[in-house]
Amino acid sequence: VSAVSLDLDKTGAKKTDLIPLGIETATVNGHEFNVGERVAVTYYVSSDARWEDFQGYATYDPTGLRLEKFSLPNTTSNVFINTDDEGFLYYAGSSYSNPFDFTTEKALYIAEFTVLSGGDYTVGNTWEVIDDENCDSIVDGDFYDEGRLSCRSETTVVQYTVTFKNYDGTVISTEKYSAGATVAIPTEKPVKPADKQYTYTFSGWDKDVVETVNADATYTAVFTGTLNKYSVSVSGTNGTVTGCPTEDVYYGTSVTLK
């Protein structure tokens, strides 16, 4: 099984709208966040041996935390994820020919939640690991062999980068936002210099700017070109010239003079 990442926004799982950011706060794993913010819990591990098998589950309170995404970022095959049971995030991996390598510290899983209401919440973890040499259990449930396995978690607010660019790719502004925050659109209109053929007017962005942030986004300025007019005059010596327009002429217009 290679389903190593699940984004509930794209799988059709039941999901409500973003919770507006407010002044109410909640505590997740001992860290304070605003209600409506998106929070990532990253579980890091390092081990003295590679693993043939691991399995476990993370727990959370679904009344206060809404799961948005769960992934095993450093395992790319022979893994399984199940998030169907609210409050539980099941995961497992088994690979005898190519054991999982966490001999240097890496993220085992990343779980992202939206904070729904005030309260004190904990994302817990229960799991077991079998090494690839002696088939010894390094960790089983709440028992850890600290000489063989190091575990820690980080709980941080998820931030998204929103960038506005001009027509030529130059950055007008780039800001980081928490999920659910309101995007600040640049107040100064972008400018594109006129060329021989066109004078340009800013007409908006290449796609609709979302009102609230829920992903990284880049917006590029779009311009409407107005065809330039030129003033044409002809003078003659020892004769006359006909066919010259008396008004301004659009760029690219052909004129026959006699």
Side-chain angles (χ1 to χ4, degrees), residues 166-168 170 190-202 223-226 228:
N166 208 346
Y167 72 99
D168 57 357
T170 56
V191 174
K192 182 177 181 178
D195 54 32
K196 291 182 178 180
Q197 187 171 8
Y198 292 106
T199 296
Y200 297 97
T201 304
F202 174 68
F223 293 83
T224 300
T226 301
N228 291 330

Side-chain angles (χ1 to χ4, degrees), residues 21-179:
L21 291 172
I23 59 174
E24 189 178 9
T25 62
T27 300
V28 182
N29 287 2
H31 301 274
E32 189 174 80
F33 301 97
N34 293 319
V35 170
E37 283 188 314
R38 188 157 167 170
V39 175
V41 177
T42 305
Y43 196 77
Y44 292 95
V45 297
S46 61
S47 173
D48 69 340
R50 298 185 303 168
W51 309 341
E52 286 187 347
D53 179 84
F54 69 89
Q55 60 179 334
Y57 59 89
T59 57
Y60 66 96
D61 183 352
T63 65
L65 300 175
R66 184 180 69 215
L67 178 65
E68 304 290 357
K69 187 176 181 181
F70 183 68
S71 63
L72 302 172
N74 289 301
T75 53
T76 58
S77 61
N78 301 316
V79 297
F80 172 75
I81 292 174
N82 186 345
T83 61
D84 292 341
D85 191 0
E86 273 197 333
F88 291 87
L89 306 172
Y90 299 98
Y91 59 89
S94 182
S95 180
Y96 298 101
S97 60
N98 187 25
F100 305 103
D101 189 351
F102 285 86
T103 51
T104 57
E105 186 180 69
K106 299 176 185 175
L108 175 65
Y109 67 70
I110 301 174
E112 295 185 11
F113 305 91
T114 294
V115 181
L116 300 178
S117 59
D120 187 6
Y121 307 108
T122 299
V123 178
N125 190 59
T126 301
W127 63 319
E128 65 178 7
V129 174
I130 304 298
D131 71 19
D132 68 328
E133 295 179 355
N134 305 310
C135 291
D136 292 334
S137 177
I138 300 174
V139 54
D140 186 3
D142 293 328
F143 170 76
Y144 291 88
D145 183 344
E146 294 182 355
R148 303 195 63 194
L149 187 73
S150 173
C151 308
R152 67 181 181 89
S153 65
E154 289 185 355
T155 306
T156 56
V157 65
V158 177
Q159 291 189 313
Y160 297 110
T161 301
V162 178
T163 303
F164 290 87
K165 292 184 177 182
N166 208 346
Y167 72 99
D168 57 357
T170 56
V171 175
I172 299 170
S173 68
T174 182
E175 299 288 344
K176 288 186 177 296
Y177 296 89
S178 299

